Amino acid sequence: MTNFKKFAVATALTLSLTSGVSAATTLKLAGVVPVEHYGNTLLEQIKTDIEAANVDLKVTVFPAGQLGAGEELFEAAARGNVDLVHSVVYAHSDPVLEINSLPYLVSSWDEAEKVYLNKGSAFNKIFAERLDGLGLKLLANAPEGFIGVVANDVPDNAGNTGDKGMNIRVWSSQVIKATVESIGFKATTMNWGEVFPAIQAGTVDGAICCTAQLAYSAFATSDVGKAFIPYNVVVENTTYYASSRTWDKLSQEQQSAVQSAFDKAARDYAAWGRNNEAQYVTKLQESGYQVVTVSDEDRAAIAEKVRADVWPQISEIVGKDTIDALMADK
């Protein structure tokens, strides 16, 4: 047998042995929370759980905004350039997603878990439907805690709805803009990536953005801002979602493994948030931050005014049927 024939036989044998084997698919998982944030621990957990399922999937993690801010990742995933994302979902592509910014929808952790973790809740059904229309697959919502305001100083009338004498950053949501204005702030819309330099430069006086944990890990540890006011306006609801283009290419077994990993992460996220909220208030104070005390009575009065001012506007944006469904589910 000639050398050429021997080579051909060997090649054919190799191909026959490997024809049924495919290389593992590698998925890009992107997040936006700061490096020190617990959310990054969960990204690594998700990677480990998916790869341990032995369904021919590998995961590469891109944490802390390496692939872009939340708005950018939203568009990248819709185009199929990013496979899996952990970020806040904004309403710039669909006004009905303003339900994610509905102020004072819930007032306790028990209520938050019922609304955000329960896959059968009206909130999650609406959320999944709207993301699907944008080329995205909802994997899980993950409540982290209740949002307050980070500021360069304690605002005037901090515990009521009087004029605050401050202009603060809001994310791309007309609902949140109307909410902070109802509380007494002026508002400027900007992306997350612009917040730190804007506060440092005095372009804005602060930002509505953060749980106590995020205020500590993102701002206090970077020596940005001096005060935190826990208005508990909305739940910091971060979302795990996939590109529909990626999801549709996965086998049923692979989809099940991915979904299971994200469901577990969402439950762990909520449990961590519930158990650690108080300790980060203490950490903020120890870092030199002034944490303003807002009594339950004052917060209830703020909530009553915000609902009266803002909810009718939200109903016009998302539809009365959507508001009615959310309310009926409480």
Side-chain angles (χ1 to χ4, degrees), residues 239-293:
T239 302
Y240 294 119
Y241 61 87
S243 167
S244 293
R245 297 187 184 195
T246 298
W247 185 257
D248 292 344
K249 292 176 184 176
L250 300 180
S251 69
Q252 188 171 5
E253 186 181 30
Q254 289 172 329
Q255 288 178 351
S256 178
V258 171
Q259 185 65 68
S260 177
F262 281 99
D263 284 342
K264 177 184 172 185
R267 292 191 301 270
D268 289 349
Y269 215 129
W272 171 84
R274 179 193 278 259
N275 294 331
N276 288 280
E277 204 161 42
Q279 83 172 51
Y280 279 98
V281 169
T282 300
K283 286 190 174 190
L284 277 170
Q285 292 168 328
E286 290 173 348
S287 75
Y289 251 64
Q290 187 168 350
V291 179
V292 177
T293 299

Side-chain angles (χ1 to χ4, degrees), residues 125-159:
K125 288 179 180 177
I126 294 166
F127 218 79
E129 177 184 340
R130 307 312 294 196
L131 287 186
D132 182 65
L134 297 169
L136 303 169
K137 161 71 177 176
L138 174 65
L139 296 171
N141 278 308
E144 177 185 327
F146 290 86
I147 286 177
V149 168
V150 166
N152 275 330
D153 207 343
V154 176
D156 299 334
N157 300 303

Side-chain angles (χ1 to χ4, degrees), residues 48-104:
T48 299
D49 288 347
I50 290 174
E51 294 181 350
N54 294 319
V55 290
D56 287 330
L57 289 177
K58 298 291 184 183
V59 178
T60 303
V61 177
F62 298 89
Q66 287 181 13
L67 298 186
E71 294 91 341
E72 295 168 311
L73 291 176
F74 197 86
E75 304 300 332
R79 292 192 299 268
N81 296 335
V82 177
D83 304 300
L84 306 167
V85 176
H86 172 229
S87 178
V88 173
V89 166
Y90 302 102
H92 60 294
S93 296
D94 182 349
V96 175
L97 290 171
E98 287 281 20
I99 63 172
N100 207 29
S101 302
L102 189 63
Y104 297 108

Side-chain angles (χ1 to χ4, degrees), residues 18 76 102 220 322:
T18 60
L102 189 63
T322 297

